[in-house]
Amino acid sequence: FWGCAGLIPQTLRHDTHMKPVLPEGRGDFTIDLVDSSTVFSKEGLLIRVRYLTDAELNERFPPLFDGRQVNPYTREEKDPELGYVLPRFTVFELTITNNTYAKVELDPARAVMISAGETYRYYDPGREGAVVLGGNSFTKYYKMELGTSGNEREINLERMGIIYKTVYHRGRPIFRGDTRSGLLVFDPLPEENDELLLSIREFVLSFDASDNPEETIDVEFRFDVDHQIVKVEENGQGEG
């Protein structure tokens, strides 16, 4: 593709925009005007959710010094038929702040993404076979169990290292005064989907004397989704 003057080469870029949709008539959901994250609050507990674009993920996880792309959450290669890079995953950053309760806990395996009647399960960083509740496996996705050889295996080991450090892990309670962050990762949305529901199910607010969940809540975050194909000049600027 070429610009208006026919001199500036252009490429195509796929952008996904997600606009938080707050439930009507409720004061426990707000939008952070600084970073557009959706915040659910309950008696000093804050659950903050923010969608991360591929551009943000690429900035957060840049290539190695030798130029190799190790970001586990985005693609590098263009789709040969479409002419642009497709999303690899749908990624949310989740931050939980516990100012009030003795101990709370979120199980990412109980989080689901729902869009156009389809339910998507999270990706778990554990070894294949350790995935629970119908979740997906990063290990299987990156074929770490198959013993791929050479450069590909080395890159996948780098990717799995980033995944272990950055995803939201299971079995990690948050005690009063603490904050925990991590990424919730799902499959990419079809381009025709224009809405999304992220459901955090059975979030534990309290435990009994035997350390079993006593009080739980379900929290839902809604988004309007807009997929755009943008013409971009080679210097990275969008077409004017």
Side-chain angles (χ1 to χ4, degrees):
F1 291 85
W2 297 84
C4 303
L7 299 174
I8 305 172
Q10 291 184 328
T11 58
L12 298 177
R13 185 183 71 217
H14 178 280
D15 286 344
T16 301
H17 300 276
M18 291 205 191
K19 179 184 177 183
V21 179
L22 299 185
E24 293 184 12
R26 292 179 56 172
D28 51 355
F29 283 88
T30 56
I31 294 178
D32 187 318
L33 298 180
V34 175
D35 64 2
S36 298
S37 58
T38 309
V39 184
F40 169 80
S41 59
K42 180 178 174 63
E43 300 167 357
L45 169 74
L46 301 175
I47 303 176
R48 179 186 296 267
V49 169
R50 189 165 81 90
Y51 169 71
L52 297 181
T53 65
D54 277 10
E56 289 176 295
L57 289 163
N58 286 330
E59 188 173 322
R60 190 174 294 196
F61 308 111
L64 296 177
F65 65 91
D66 58 7
R68 285 183 296 169
Q69 165 80 2
V70 294
N71 184 346
Y73 304 117
T74 63
R75 297 184 190 276
E76 185 180 19
E77 314 81 20
K78 292 180 181 179
D79 182 286
E81 295 183 6
L82 298 174
Y84 51 84
V85 179
L86 288 168
R88 188 185 289 276
F89 295 111
T90 303
V91 182
F92 297 94
E93 184 167 43
L94 187 67
T95 303
I96 299 170
T97 302
N98 178 18
N99 296 314
T100 312
Y101 296 87
K103 181 173 69 171
V104 300
E105 187 174 328
L106 177 141
D107 184 352
R110 298 187 183 278
V112 295
M113 183 176 78
I114 302 170
S115 183
E118 185 94 14
T119 298
Y120 299 80
R121 310 305 301 229
Y122 91 127
Y123 272 81
D124 187 276
R127 290 181 63 83
E128 214 171 326
V131 178
V132 298
L133 302 176
N136 300 295
S137 166
F138 275 118
T139 303
K140 185 177 180 181
Y141 184 92
Y142 280 116
K143 300 183 175 65
M144 296 307 296
E145 311 266 335
L146 298 181
T148 54
S149 59
N151 189 47
E152 184 186 356
R153 178 167 176 77
E154 191 177 325
I155 290 176
N156 283 345
L157 282 169
E158 291 275 357
R159 287 170 171 160
M160 289 303 299
I162 293 172
I163 288 166
Y164 279 118
K165 291 176 185 175
T166 56
V167 295
Y168 201 101
H169 288 269
R170 304 189 71 220
R172 300 192 179 179
I174 307 159
F175 295 93
R176 184 184 291 117
D178 287 346
T179 296
R180 185 176 297 283
S181 294
L183 303 183
L184 272 180
V185 183
F186 302 89
D187 280 322
L189 280 180
E191 290 189 24
E192 61 270 18
N193 291 25
D194 60 4
E195 47 77 33
L196 177 153
L197 171 70
L198 177 64
S199 179
I200 308 293
R201 297 177 176 174
E202 297 181 50
F203 184 98
V204 184
L205 293 174
S206 63
F207 294 81
D208 63 19
S210 302
D211 212 29
N212 295 313
E214 187 173 49
E215 181 186 0
T216 65
I217 55 171
D218 296 343
V219 186
E220 295 184 340
F221 297 86
R222 294 184 180 275
F223 298 87
D224 284 337
V225 183
D226 182 24
H227 301 275
Q228 297 180 356
I229 308 303
V230 183
K231 291 181 181 179
V232 184
E233 296 176 4
E234 284 198 343
N235 62 9
Q237 296 179 350
E239 183 182 41

